[in-house]
Coordinates of all heavy atoms in Angstrom, one line a residue:
M30 N 97.8 83.7 -154.6 CA 98.2 82.6 -155.4 C 97.3 81.4 -155.1 O 97.1 81.1 -154.0 CB 99.7 82.3 -155.2 CG 100.2 81.2 -156.0 SD 102.0 81.1 -155.7 CE 102.3 79.7 -156.6
S31 N 96.8 80.8 -156.1 CA 95.9 79.7 -155.9 C 96.7 78.4 -155.6 O 97.9 78.4 -155.9 CB 95.0 79.5 -157.1 OG 95.8 79.1 -158.2
A32 N 96.0 77.4 -155.1 CA 96.7 76.2 -154.7 C 97.1 75.5 -156.0 O 96.4 75.5 -157.0 CB 95.7 75.3 -154.0
P33 N 98.3 74.9 -156.0 CA 98.8 74.2 -157.2 C 98.0 73.0 -157.5 O 97.5 72.3 -156.6 CB 100.3 73.8 -156.9 CG 100.4 73.9 -155.4 CD 99.3 74.9 -154.9
T34 N 97.9 72.7 -158.8 CA 97.2 71.5 -159.2 C 98.1 70.3 -159.1 O 99.2 70.3 -159.5 CB 96.7 71.7 -160.7 OG1 96.1 72.9 -160.8 CG2 95.8 70.6 -161.1
R35 N 97.5 69.2 -158.6 CA 98.3 68.0 -158.5 C 98.5 67.4 -159.9 O 97.5 67.2 -160.6 CB 97.7 67.0 -157.6 CG 97.9 67.4 -156.1 CD 97.3 66.3 -155.2 NE 98.2 65.1 -155.1 CZ 99.1 65.0 -154.2 NH1 99.4 65.9 -153.4 NH2 99.8 63.9 -154.2
Q36 N 99.7 67.0 -160.2 CA 100.0 66.4 -161.5 C 100.8 65.1 -161.2 O 101.6 65.0 -160.4 CB 100.9 67.3 -162.4 CG 100.2 68.5 -162.9 CD 101.1 69.3 -163.8 OE1 102.3 69.3 -163.6 NE2 100.5 70.0 -164.7
R37 N 100.5 64.1 -162.1 CA 101.2 62.8 -162.0 C 102.6 63.1 -162.7 O 102.6 63.5 -163.8 CB 100.5 61.7 -162.6 CG 99.3 61.3 -161.8 CD 98.6 60.1 -162.5 NE 99.5 59.0 -162.4 CZ 99.3 57.9 -161.7 NH1 98.1 57.8 -161.1 NH2 100.1 56.9 -161.7
V38 N 103.6 62.8 -162.0 CA 105.0 63.0 -162.5 C 105.8 61.8 -162.3 O 105.7 61.2 -161.2 CB 105.6 64.2 -161.9 CG1 107.0 64.5 -162.4 CG2 104.8 65.5 -162.0
G39 N 106.6 61.4 -163.2 CA 107.5 60.2 -163.1 C 108.6 60.5 -162.2 O 109.0 61.6 -162.0
R40 N 109.2 59.4 -161.7 CA 110.4 59.6 -160.7 C 111.6 60.3 -161.4 O 112.2 61.1 -160.8 CB 110.8 58.2 -160.2 CG 109.8 57.7 -159.3 CD 110.4 56.4 -158.8 NE 109.2 55.5 -158.6 CZ 109.3 54.2 -158.5 NH1 110.5 53.6 -158.5 NH2 108.2 53.5 -158.3
F41 N 111.9 59.9 -162.7 CA 113.0 60.4 -163.4 C 112.8 61.9 -163.6 O 113.8 62.7 -163.4 CB 113.2 59.7 -164.7 CG 114.4 60.3 -165.5 CD1 115.7 59.9 -165.1 CD2 114.2 61.1 -166.6 CE1 116.8 60.4 -165.8 CE2 115.3 61.6 -167.3 CZ 116.6 61.3 -166.9
R42 N 111.6 62.4 -163.9 CA 111.4 63.8 -164.1 C 111.6 64.6 -162.7 O 112.1 65.7 -162.7 CB 110.0 64.0 -164.6 CG 109.8 65.5 -164.9 CD 108.6 65.7 -165.7 NE 108.9 65.3 -167.1 CZ 108.2 65.6 -168.1 NH1 107.1 66.3 -168.0 NH2 108.5 65.1 -169.3
L43 N 111.2 64.0 -161.6 CA 111.4 64.6 -160.3 C 112.8 64.7 -160.0 O 113.3 65.7 -159.4 CB 110.6 63.9 -159.2 CG 109.1 64.1 -159.2 CD1 108.5 63.2 -158.1 CD2 108.7 65.5 -159.1
L44 N 113.6 63.6 -160.2 CA 115.0 63.7 -160.0 C 115.7 64.7 -160.8 O 116.6 65.4 -160.3 CB 115.6 62.3 -160.2 CG 115.2 61.2 -159.3 CD1 115.8 59.8 -159.8 CD2 115.7 61.4 -157.9
T45 N 115.3 64.9 -162.0 CA 115.9 65.9 -162.9 C 115.5 67.3 -162.4 O 116.4 68.2 -162.4 CB 115.4 65.7 -164.4 OG1 115.8 64.4 -164.8 CG2 116.1 66.7 -165.3
A46 N 114.3 67.5 -162.0 CA 113.8 68.8 -161.5 C 114.6 69.1 -160.2 O 115.0 70.3 -160.0 CB 112.3 68.8 -161.2
A47 N 114.9 68.2 -159.4 CA 115.6 68.4 -158.2 C 117.1 68.8 -158.5 O 117.6 69.7 -157.9 CB 115.6 67.2 -157.2
A48 N 117.7 68.1 -159.4 CA 119.1 68.5 -159.8 C 119.1 69.9 -160.4 O 120.1 70.6 -160.1 CB 119.6 67.4 -160.8
D49 N 118.1 70.2 -161.2 CA 118.1 71.6 -161.8 C 117.9 72.7 -160.7 O 118.4 73.7 -160.8 CB 117.0 71.7 -162.8 CG 117.4 70.9 -164.1 OD1 118.6 70.6 -164.3 OD2 116.5 70.6 -164.9
A50 N 117.0 72.3 -159.7 CA 116.7 73.3 -158.7 C 118.0 73.6 -157.8 O 118.1 74.7 -157.3 CB 115.6 72.8 -157.8
L51 N 118.9 72.6 -157.7 CA 120.1 72.9 -156.9 C 121.0 73.9 -157.4 O 121.8 74.5 -156.7 CB 120.8 71.5 -156.7 CG 120.3 70.5 -155.7 CD1 121.1 69.3 -155.7 CD2 120.1 71.1 -154.4
R52 N 120.8 74.3 -158.7 CA 121.6 75.3 -159.3 C 121.1 76.7 -158.8 O 121.8 77.7 -159.1 CB 121.5 75.3 -160.8 CG 122.1 74.0 -161.4 CD 122.0 74.0 -162.9 NE 122.3 72.7 -163.4 CZ 121.8 72.2 -164.4 NH1 120.9 72.8 -165.1 NH2 122.1 71.0 -164.8
R53 N 119.9 76.8 -158.3 CA 119.3 78.1 -157.8 C 119.2 78.2 -156.3 O 118.2 78.6 -155.8 CB 118.0 78.2 -158.5 CG 118.0 78.3 -160.0 CD 116.7 78.5 -160.6 NE 115.7 77.4 -160.4 CZ 115.6 76.3 -161.0 NH1 116.4 76.1 -162.0 NH2 114.7 75.4 -160.7
I54 N 120.2 77.8 -155.6 CA 120.2 77.9 -154.2 C 120.4 79.3 -153.8 O 121.2 80.1 -154.4 CB 121.4 77.0 -153.6 CG1 121.1 75.5 -153.8 CG2 121.6 77.3 -152.1 CD1 122.1 74.6 -153.3
H55 N 119.7 79.8 -152.8 CA 119.9 81.1 -152.2 C 120.0 80.9 -150.7 O 119.8 79.9 -150.2 CB 118.8 82.1 -152.6 CG 117.4 81.6 -152.2 ND1 116.7 80.7 -153.0 CD2 116.6 81.9 -151.2 CE1 115.5 80.5 -152.4 NE2 115.5 81.2 -151.3
H56 N 120.4 82.0 -150.0 CA 120.7 81.9 -148.6 C 119.7 82.7 -147.8 O 119.3 83.8 -148.2 CB 122.1 82.4 -148.3 CG 123.1 81.6 -148.9 ND1 123.6 80.4 -148.4 CD2 123.8 81.7 -150.1 CE1 124.5 79.9 -149.2 NE2 124.6 80.7 -150.2
D57 N 119.1 82.1 -146.8 CA 118.2 82.8 -145.9 C 118.8 82.8 -144.5 O 118.8 81.8 -143.8 CB 116.9 82.0 -145.8 CG 115.8 82.6 -145.0 OD1 115.9 83.8 -144.8 OD2 114.9 81.9 -144.5
G58 N 119.4 84.0 -144.2 CA 120.1 84.1 -142.9 C 121.3 83.3 -142.8 O 121.6 82.8 -141.7
G59 N 122.0 83.1 -143.9 CA 123.2 82.3 -143.9 C 123.0 80.8 -144.1 O 123.9 80.1 -144.2
I60 N 121.7 80.4 -144.1 CA 121.4 79.0 -144.3 C 121.0 78.8 -145.8 O 120.2 79.5 -146.3 CB 120.2 78.5 -143.4 CG1 120.6 78.8 -142.0 CG2 119.8 77.1 -143.7 CD1 119.4 78.6 -141.0
P61 N 121.7 77.8 -146.5 CA 121.3 77.6 -147.9 C 119.9 76.9 -148.0 O 119.6 76.0 -147.2 CB 122.4 76.6 -148.4 CG 123.2 76.2 -147.3 CD 122.8 77.0 -146.1
V62 N 119.1 77.5 -148.8 CA 117.7 77.0 -149.0 C 117.5 77.0 -150.5 O 118.2 77.6 -151.3 CB 116.6 77.9 -148.4 CG1 116.8 77.9 -146.9 CG2 116.7 79.3 -148.9
V63 N 116.5 76.2 -150.9 CA 116.1 76.1 -152.3 C 114.6 76.1 -152.5 O 113.9 75.6 -151.5 CB 116.7 74.8 -153.0 CG1 116.2 73.5 -152.3 CG2 116.6 74.7 -154.5
D64 N 114.1 76.6 -153.5 CA 112.6 76.6 -153.8 C 112.3 75.4 -154.5 O 112.9 75.0 -155.5 CB 112.2 77.9 -154.6 CG 112.4 79.2 -153.8 OD1 112.4 79.1 -152.6 OD2 112.7 80.2 -154.4
C65 N 111.1 74.8 -154.1 CA 110.6 73.6 -154.8 C 110.3 74.0 -156.3 O 109.6 75.0 -156.5 CB 109.4 73.1 -154.1 SG 108.6 71.7 -154.9
P66 N 110.7 73.2 -157.2 CA 110.5 73.5 -158.6 C 109.0 73.3 -159.0 O 108.5 73.8 -160.0 CB 111.4 72.6 -159.4 CG 111.7 71.5 -158.5 CD 111.6 72.0 -157.1
R67 N 108.2 72.5 -158.2 CA 106.9 72.2 -158.5 C 105.9 73.2 -157.9 O 104.9 73.6 -158.5 CB 106.5 70.8 -158.1 CG 107.5 69.7 -158.7 CD 107.3 69.6 -160.2 NE 105.9 69.1 -160.4 CZ 105.4 69.1 -161.6 NH1 106.0 69.5 -162.6 NH2 104.1 68.7 -161.8
C68 N 106.0 73.4 -156.6 CA 105.0 74.2 -155.8 C 105.6 75.6 -155.4 O 104.8 76.5 -155.0 CB 104.5 73.5 -154.7 SG 105.7 73.2 -153.3
G69 N 106.9 75.8 -155.4 CA 107.4 77.1 -155.0 C 107.7 77.2 -153.5 O 108.2 78.2 -153.1
D70 N 107.5 76.2 -152.7 CA 107.8 76.3 -151.2 C 109.3 76.3 -151.0 O 110.0 75.7 -151.8 CB 107.2 75.0 -150.5 CG 105.7 75.1 -150.4 OD1 105.1 76.2 -150.6 OD2 105.1 74.0 -150.0
T71 N 109.7 76.9 -150.0 CA 111.1 77.0 -149.6 C 111.5 75.7 -148.8 O 110.8 75.4 -147.9 CB 111.4 78.2 -148.8 OG1 111.1 79.4 -149.5 CG2 112.9 78.3 -148.4
V72 N 112.5 75.0 -149.3 CA 113.0 73.8 -148.6 C 114.3 74.1 -148.0 O 115.2 74.6 -148.6 CB 113.1 72.6 -149.7 CG1 113.6 71.4 -149.0 CG2 111.7 72.4 -150.3
R73 N 114.4 73.7 -146.8 CA 115.7 73.8 -146.0 C 116.0 72.5 -145.3 O 115.1 71.7 -145.1 CB 115.6 75.0 -145.1 CG 114.7 74.9 -144.0 CD 114.5 76.2 -143.2 NE 113.8 77.2 -143.9 CZ 114.2 78.4 -144.1 NH1 115.2 78.8 -143.5 NH2 113.4 79.2 -144.8
T74 N 117.2 72.4 -144.7 CA 117.5 71.3 -143.9 C 117.9 71.7 -142.5 O 118.3 72.8 -142.3 CB 118.7 70.5 -144.6 OG1 119.0 69.4 -143.8 CG2 119.9 71.4 -144.7
R75 N 117.8 70.8 -141.6 CA 118.1 71.1 -140.2 C 119.6 70.9 -140.0 O 120.1 71.3 -139.0 CB 117.3 70.2 -139.3 CG 115.9 70.6 -139.3 CD 115.1 69.7 -138.3 NE 113.7 70.1 -138.4 CZ 112.7 69.5 -137.7 NH1 113.1 68.5 -136.9 NH2 111.5 69.9 -137.9
Q76 N 120.2 70.1 -140.9 CA 121.7 69.8 -140.7 C 122.5 71.0 -141.2 O 122.1 71.6 -142.2 CB 122.0 68.6 -141.5 CG 121.3 67.3 -141.0 CD 121.7 66.1 -141.9 OE1 122.3 66.2 -142.9 NE2 121.2 65.0 -141.4
P77 N 123.6 71.3 -140.6 CA 124.4 72.4 -141.1 C 125.1 71.9 -142.4 O 125.6 70.8 -142.5 CB 125.4 72.6 -140.0 CG 125.4 71.4 -139.2 CD 124.1 70.8 -139.3
V78 N 125.0 72.8 -143.4 CA 125.6 72.5 -144.7 C 126.4 73.7 -145.1 O 126.0 74.8 -145.1 CB 124.5 72.3 -145.7 CG1 125.1 72.0 -147.1 CG2 123.5 71.2 -145.3
R79 N 127.6 73.4 -145.6 CA 128.4 74.5 -146.1 C 127.9 74.9 -147.5 O 127.3 74.1 -148.2 CB 129.9 74.0 -146.3 CG 130.6 73.9 -145.0 CD 132.1 73.6 -145.2 NE 132.5 73.5 -146.6 CZ 133.4 72.7 -147.1 NH1 134.0 71.8 -146.3 NH2 133.7 72.6 -148.4
A80 N 128.0 76.1 -147.9 CA 127.4 76.6 -149.1 C 128.0 75.9 -150.3 O 127.3 75.6 -151.3 CB 127.6 78.1 -149.2
A81 N 129.2 75.6 -150.3 CA 129.9 74.9 -151.4 C 129.3 73.4 -151.5 O 129.2 72.9 -152.7 CB 131.4 74.8 -151.2
D82 N 129.0 72.8 -150.4 CA 128.5 71.4 -150.5 C 127.0 71.3 -150.7 O 126.5 70.3 -151.1 CB 128.8 70.7 -149.2 CG 130.3 70.6 -149.0 OD1 131.1 70.5 -150.0 OD2 130.8 70.4 -147.8
A83 N 126.3 72.4 -150.5 CA 124.8 72.3 -150.6 C 124.3 72.1 -152.0 O 123.3 71.5 -152.2 CB 124.2 73.6 -150.0
A84 N 125.1 72.5 -153.0 CA 124.7 72.4 -154.4 C 125.0 71.1 -155.0 O 124.6 70.8 -156.2 CB 125.4 73.5 -155.2
R85 N 125.5 70.2 -154.3 CA 125.9 68.8 -154.8 C 124.7 67.9 -154.6 O 124.0 67.9 -153.6 CB 127.1 68.3 -154.1 CG 128.4 69.0 -154.4 CD 129.5 68.3 -153.9 NE 129.2 67.8 -152.5 CZ 130.0 67.0 -151.8 NH1 131.1 66.7 -152.3 NH2 129.6 66.7 -150.6
E86 N 124.5 67.0 -155.6 CA 123.6 65.9 -155.4 C 124.1 65.0 -154.3 O 125.3 64.7 -154.2 CB 123.4 65.1 -156.7 CG 122.7 65.9 -157.8 CD 122.4 65.1 -159.0 OE1 122.2 63.9 -158.9 OE2 122.4 65.7 -160.1
G87 N 123.2 64.5 -153.4 CA 123.6 63.7 -152.3 C 123.8 64.5 -151.0 O 124.0 64.0 -150.0
S88 N 123.7 65.8 -151.1 CA 123.9 66.7 -149.9 C 122.6 66.6 -149.1 O 121.6 66.2 -149.6 CB 124.2 68.1 -150.3 OG 123.0 68.7 -150.9
P89 N 122.7 67.0 -147.8 CA 121.5 67.0 -147.0 C 120.3 67.9 -147.6 O 119.2 67.6 -147.5 CB 121.9 67.6 -145.7 CG 123.4 67.3 -145.6 CD 123.9 67.3 -147.0
L90 N 120.7 69.0 -148.3 CA 119.7 69.9 -148.9 C 119.0 69.1 -150.1 O 117.8 69.2 -150.3 CB 120.3 71.2 -149.4 CG 119.4 72.2 -149.9 CD1 118.3 72.6 -148.9 CD2 120.1 73.5 -150.4
H91 N 119.8 68.4 -150.8 CA 119.3 67.6 -152.0 C 118.3 66.6 -151.4 O 117.3 66.3 -152.0 CB 120.4 67.0 -152.8 CG 120.0 66.3 -154.0 ND1 120.1 64.9 -154.1 CD2 119.3 66.7 -155.1 CE1 119.6 64.5 -155.2 NE2 119.2 65.5 -155.9
A92 N 118.7 65.9 -150.3 CA 117.9 64.9 -149.7 C 116.6 65.5 -149.2 O 115.5 64.9 -149.4 CB 118.6 64.2 -148.6
A93 N 116.6 66.7 -148.6 CA 115.4 67.3 -148.1 C 114.5 67.7 -149.3 O 113.3 67.6 -149.2 CB 115.8 68.6 -147.3
L94 N 115.1 68.2 -150.4 CA 114.3 68.5 -151.6 C 113.6 67.3 -152.2 O 112.4 67.3 -152.5 CB 115.1 69.2 -152.6 CG 114.4 69.6 -153.9 CD1 113.3 70.6 -153.6 CD2 115.4 70.3 -154.9
L95 N 114.3 66.2 -152.3 CA 113.7 64.9 -152.8 C 112.6 64.4 -151.9 O 111.6 64.0 -152.3 CB 114.8 63.9 -153.0 CG 115.8 64.1 -154.1 CD1 116.8 63.0 -154.1 CD2 115.1 64.1 -155.4
D96 N 112.9 64.5 -150.6 CA 111.8 64.1 -149.6 C 110.6 64.9 -149.8 O 109.5 64.4 -149.8 CB 112.4 64.2 -148.2 CG 111.4 63.7 -147.2 OD1 110.9 62.5 -147.4 OD2 111.2 64.4 -146.2
H97 N 110.8 66.2 -150.0 CA 109.6 67.1 -150.2 C 108.9 66.8 -151.5 O 107.7 66.7 -151.5 CB 110.1 68.6 -150.2 CG 109.0 69.5 -150.7 ND1 108.0 69.9 -149.8 CD2 108.8 70.1 -151.8 CE1 107.2 70.7 -150.5 NE2 107.6 70.9 -151.7
L98 N 109.6 66.6 -152.6 CA 109.0 66.3 -153.9 C 108.3 64.9 -153.9 O 107.2 64.8 -154.4 CB 110.1 66.3 -155.0 CG 110.6 67.6 -155.4 CD1 111.8 67.4 -156.3 CD2 109.5 68.4 -156.1
F99 N 108.8 63.9 -153.2 CA 108.2 62.6 -153.3 C 107.1 62.4 -152.2 O 106.3 61.5 -152.4 CB 109.3 61.5 -153.1 CG 110.1 61.2 -154.4 CD1 111.3 61.8 -154.6 CD2 109.5 60.4 -155.4 CE1 112.0 61.5 -155.7 CE2 110.2 60.2 -156.5 CZ 111.5 60.7 -156.7
R100 N 107.1 63.2 -151.1 CA 106.2 63.0 -150.1 C 105.3 64.1 -149.8 O 104.1 63.9 -149.5 CB 106.9 62.6 -148.8 CG 107.6 61.3 -149.0 CD 108.1 60.8 -147.6 NE 108.7 59.5 -147.8 CZ 110.0 59.2 -147.7 NH1 110.8 60.2 -147.3 NH2 110.5 58.0 -147.8
D101 N 105.8 65.3 -149.7 CA 105.0 66.5 -149.1 C 104.5 67.5 -150.2 O 103.7 68.3 -149.8 CB 105.9 67.2 -148.1 CG 106.4 66.3 -147.0 OD1 105.7 65.4 -146.7 OD2 107.5 66.6 -146.5
C102 N 105.0 67.5 -151.4 CA 104.7 68.5 -152.3 C 103.2 68.4 -152.7 O 102.8 67.4 -153.2 CB 105.6 68.4 -153.6 SG 105.3 69.7 -154.8
P103 N 102.5 69.5 -152.5 CA 101.1 69.5 -152.9 C 100.8 69.5 -154.4 O 99.7 69.3 -154.8 CB 100.5 70.8 -152.2 CG 101.7 71.7 -152.1 CD 102.9 70.8 -151.9
A104 N 101.8 69.8 -155.2 CA 101.6 69.9 -156.6 C 102.1 68.6 -157.4 O 102.0 68.5 -158.6 CB 102.4 71.0 -157.2
T105 N 102.5 67.6 -156.6 CA 103.1 66.4 -157.3 C 102.4 65.1 -156.7 O 102.2 64.9 -155.6 CB 104.6 66.3 -157.0 OG1 105.2 67.5 -157.4 CG2 105.2 65.1 -157.7
E106 N 102.1 64.3 -157.7 CA 101.6 62.9 -157.4 C 102.6 62.0 -158.2 O 102.7 62.1 -159.4 CB 100.2 62.7 -157.8 CG 99.7 61.3 -157.6 CD 98.3 61.1 -158.0 OE1 97.5 62.1 -158.2 OE2 97.9 60.0 -158.3
V107 N 103.3 61.2 -157.5 CA 104.4 60.4 -158.1 C 103.7 59.2 -158.8 O 102.9 58.5 -158.2 CB 105.4 59.9 -157.0 CG1 106.4 59.0 -157.7 CG2 106.0 61.0 -156.3
A108 N 104.0 59.1 -160.1 CA 103.5 58.0 -160.9 C 104.4 56.8 -160.6 O 105.6 56.9 -160.6 CB 103.6 58.4 -162.4
R109 N 103.7 55.7 -160.4 CA 104.5 54.5 -160.1 C 104.5 53.5 -161.3 O 103.6 53.3 -162.0 CB 103.9 53.8 -158.9 CG 103.9 54.8 -157.7 CD 104.0 54.1 -156.4 NE 104.0 55.1 -155.4 CZ 104.9 55.2 -154.6 NH1 106.0 54.5 -154.6 NH2 104.9 56.1 -153.7

């Protein structure tokens, strides 16, 4: 797989993509994880999260996904 191309994306679009990605949570060894909707990397949190709470906006997993999208994602450049 080739490296993803960086695209300028607005904040609202990233927030919407993160909310949609929370619907597709899967478990890796009992830990809830989510795939980044832009680059496909697996995002997880170090904090323990119950499976029922992981899918909510504002959860530690949601915060980790937003942090990845806004700072670390190789496929995203945030438009200001």
Side-chain angles (χ1 to χ4, degrees):
M30 181 174 175
S31 63
T34 311
R35 286 185 74 91
Q36 292 181 333
R37 290 183 67 113
V38 181
R40 290 183 216 164
F41 181 74
R42 184 165 288 195
L43 286 179
L44 292 173
T45 304
D49 288 341
L51 285 179
R52 295 181 191 146
R53 296 182 299 275
I54 290 176
H55 56 278
H56 297 278
D57 183 21
I60 299 170
V62 297
V63 65
D64 294 331
C65 175
R67 305 290 298 166
C68 67
D70 287 347
T71 301
V72 178
R73 66 187 73 230
T74 182
R75 292 181 183 180
Q76 297 177 354
V78 181
R79 290 188 358 217
D82 294 335
R85 292 187 317 175
E86 290 185 32
S88 70
L90 185 59
H91 183 246
L94 179 59
L95 288 178
D96 186 49
H97 171 76
L98 284 170
F99 281 99
R100 294 192 177 109
D101 302 333
C102 185
T105 304
E106 179 180 336
V107 180
R109 302 210 181 240

